[in-house]
Amino acid sequence: MARQERAIRTRESILEAMASLFVEVGYEAATIAALLERTGLTRGALYFHFPTKEAMARGVLARAVTREGVRPQKHKLQEWVDLGLLLAHRLPREPMLRAAVQLSVDPKARSLFGTRWPDWIDVGEDLLVEAGKRGELLPHAVPAEIARLAVGAWTGVQLVTEVLPENRDLSEEISRLYRLILPAVARPGILAELDLSPCRGERLLGPAADAGAPVADGTPA
Amino acid sequence: MARQERAIRTRESILEAMASLFVEVGYEAATIAALLERTGLTRGALYFHFPTKEAMARGVLARAVTREGVRPQKHKLQEWVDLGLLLAHRLPREPMLRAAVQLSVDPKARSLFGTRWPDWIDVGEDLLVEAGKRGELLPHAVPAEIARLAVGAWTGVQLVTEVLPENRDLSEEISRLYRLILPAVARPGILAELDLSPCRGERLLGPAADAGAPVADGTPA
């Protein structure tokens, strides 16, 4: 049992080291040799867990679509926003998520493994369809279109934020993005009740949220 | 003179061939050998124009920021929208523009050459500041923020559109993006007068636009 736990932890640390490499130099330039140097593992030990670089990339991508931290809210639109704000909070802190985004963007990796964008769009669309049934959306808002555009816009804002020299906070930028698009999505009465603040992602993951503090019922803080 | 013209044409065809390679396999995997095979040039002839792959990448990026087709309109906001709709129309048709976007997205190429995103943001911000002076923007709209978010959103929507299997038209998607964000940017009276239609880019580049047809004065068509 202890051995199995250690194996799981080794596997996880390999994935994390490879994720960091993908982030730093891109899929194509990330080599097994650099990974071995970074982890101190032997080639044999590595191959026990992952036969190829491709297998590691698949392992990273499998972690990419996550609803961790999203909990039921008064408005379904709030859950949709929470998805994006949580990811904005976690991405700069988790190389695994950054690597997954990077692999989706890299043309070579993308041609080998595809991307998780369709999965993200599906998750968002489901929430928006439900929001529509509850009367939260403006009459002309089309859930499938909004879900698709939002995944694109989110991805691009993340990319550009990472590159610009100003070193902006991703949560601030994604919060601004939602303030930019939600007036064309939400009915005004609902919009006024949504919490779009940049610190929402952090609060949803924090201990206060676990205790059922106001943040969990969709009340703007 | 004829020799100089031929040299310019050769240089251009090399850049275009390399741009196509960048688009197909990414910066890292694009090789001089593949380029020589594709163009039929000798190594010597190639090196006369470009000493390295890096020089070709710089050549491609130098073409990336273009206001081609944008002409004075009744509303400055229309010129800002035109910038994005023109690029959406041209990108799928011009490997050079696609390659420039790809190089900005590729982490290796980006670390070597930077991106043109700051230039695009500046161009957009100038137009939005002018729109603000003319009273076209909502009171809380901040030109610098909107310009930055729009460049990010545009880039991401392009990326995702390219990848999704549905094979959507980029002009349609970018038109939808503007319809999504402009209600939070433009005063309602101005919004109603903007032409956000997907075919605007094509019309601005067409012969009718050159002749000063209605499209040039910002009238919705």
Side-chain angles (χ1 to χ4, degrees):
Chain A
M1 194 56 181
R3 185 187 290 180
Q4 205 185 336
E5 261 171 41
R6 199 164 56 235
I8 290 172
R9 227 174 297 142
T10 305
R11 198 188 142 85
E12 196 65 18
S13 72
I14 293 172
L15 268 193
E16 275 175 14
M18 200 60 183
S20 300
L21 262 181
F22 286 151
V23 168
E24 288 162 35
V25 300
Y27 176 75
E28 190 74 12
T31 61
I32 298 286
L35 178 69
L36 293 176
E37 200 182 303
R38 189 168 286 203
T39 55
L41 286 172
T42 63
R43 205 166 279 264
L46 173 65
Y47 288 166
F48 174 75
H49 293 281
F50 296 100
T52 58
K53 182 164 88 168
E54 287 73 22
M56 285 180 259
R58 285 183 215 281
V60 167
L61 279 166
R63 314 296 179 88
V65 180
T66 161
R67 298 182 59 159
E68 193 184 320
V70 179
R71 266 151 313 133
Q73 304 290 333
K74 182 175 160 199
H75 301 306
K76 275 288 157 185
L77 262 183
Q78 183 69 59
E79 294 177 33
W80 181 67
V81 169
D82 287 351
L83 206 62
L85 286 174
L86 277 161
L87 200 61
H89 174 70
R90 292 176 56 198
L91 194 104
R93 290 161 183 82
E94 301 181 26
M96 198 87 89
L97 285 174
R98 285 180 66 193
V101 170
Q102 197 88 80
L103 288 170
S104 296
V105 161
D106 185 300
K108 178 76 187 293
R110 198 199 296 157
S111 70
L112 289 171
F113 315 117
T115 78
R116 306 307 304 269
W117 292 328
D119 308 288
W120 277 113
I121 293 170
D122 285 348
V123 171
E125 187 178 344
D126 288 349
L127 289 168
L128 288 167
V129 164
E130 186 56 33
K133 283 185 192 155
R134 297 183 183 193
E136 295 169 19
L137 304 187
L138 288 169
H140 61 271
V142 180
E145 286 179 9
I146 297 165
R148 201 170 64 232
L149 289 172
V151 165
W154 194 106
T155 303
V157 167
Q158 188 274 323
L159 252 181
V160 169
T161 301
E162 190 171 78
V163 165
L164 288 185
E166 295 91 346
N167 214 353
R168 279 172 210 286
D169 182 65
L170 182 61
S171 292
E172 298 266 6
E173 289 295 274
I174 295 297
S175 162
R176 285 193 186 104
L177 176 66
Y178 283 119
R179 276 179 271 150
L180 194 60
I181 65 182
L182 274 160
V185 175
R187 282 203 302 112
I190 305 291
L191 181 59
E193 288 190 2
L194 296 177
D195 178 5
L196 310 178
S197 74
C199 46
R200 181 158 177 96
E202 183 171 13
R203 272 188 283 131
L204 281 171
L205 288 176
D210 287 337
V215 72
D217 65 6
T219 313
Chain B
M1 196 55 183
R3 184 186 292 179
Q4 206 185 333
E5 260 171 43
R6 199 164 55 234
I8 291 172
R9 225 173 299 141
T10 304
R11 198 186 142 85
E12 196 65 18
S13 72
I14 292 172
L15 269 192
E16 275 175 14
M18 199 61 183
S20 300
L21 262 181
F22 287 151
V23 168
E24 287 162 35
V25 300
Y27 176 74
E28 190 74 13
T31 61
I32 298 287
L35 178 69
L36 293 175
E37 201 182 304
R38 191 168 285 204
T39 57
L41 286 171
T42 64
R43 205 166 277 264
L46 173 64
Y47 288 165
F48 173 76
H49 293 281
F50 296 100
T52 59
K53 182 164 89 169
E54 287 74 20
M56 284 180 260
R58 286 183 215 282
V60 166
L61 278 166
R63 314 295 178 89
V65 181
T66 162
R67 300 183 57 159
E68 194 184 321
V70 178
R71 267 151 311 135
Q73 304 290 332
K74 182 176 161 199
H75 302 304
K76 275 287 157 185
L77 263 183
Q78 182 70 59
E79 294 178 32
W80 181 68
V81 169
D82 287 351
L83 207 61
L85 286 174
L86 276 160
L87 200 60
H89 174 69
R90 292 177 55 199
L91 196 104
R93 291 162 182 81
E94 300 181 26
M96 199 87 90
L97 286 175
R98 285 181 67 192
V101 169
Q102 195 90 80
L103 288 170
S104 297
V105 161
D106 184 302
K108 178 75 188 293
R110 198 199 296 157
S111 70
L112 290 170
F113 316 115
T115 78
R116 306 308 305 269
W117 291 329
D119 308 289
W120 276 114
I121 293 169
D122 286 347
V123 170
E125 187 178 345
D126 288 349
L127 288 169
L128 289 167
V129 165
E130 187 56 33
K133 284 184 191 155
R134 297 184 183 192
E136 295 170 19
L137 304 187
L138 288 169
H140 61 268
V142 181
E145 286 179 9
I146 297 165
R148 201 170 63 234
L149 290 172
V151 166
W154 194 105
T155 303
V157 167
Q158 189 274 322
L159 253 180
V160 169
T161 301
E162 192 171 77
V163 165
L164 289 184
E166 294 91 348
N167 214 354
R168 279 171 211 285
D169 182 66
L170 182 59
S171 293
E172 299 266 5
E173 288 295 275
I174 295 297
S175 163
R176 284 192 186 105
L177 177 66
Y178 283 118
R179 277 179 269 151
L180 195 60
I181 65 182
L182 275 160
V185 174
R187 282 204 300 111
I190 305 292
L191 182 58
E193 289 190 1
L194 297 177
D195 179 5
L196 311 178
S197 74
C199 47
R200 182 158 176 95
E202 182 170 14
R203 271 187 283 132
L204 281 169
L205 289 176
D210 287 334
V215 72
D217 65 7
T219 312

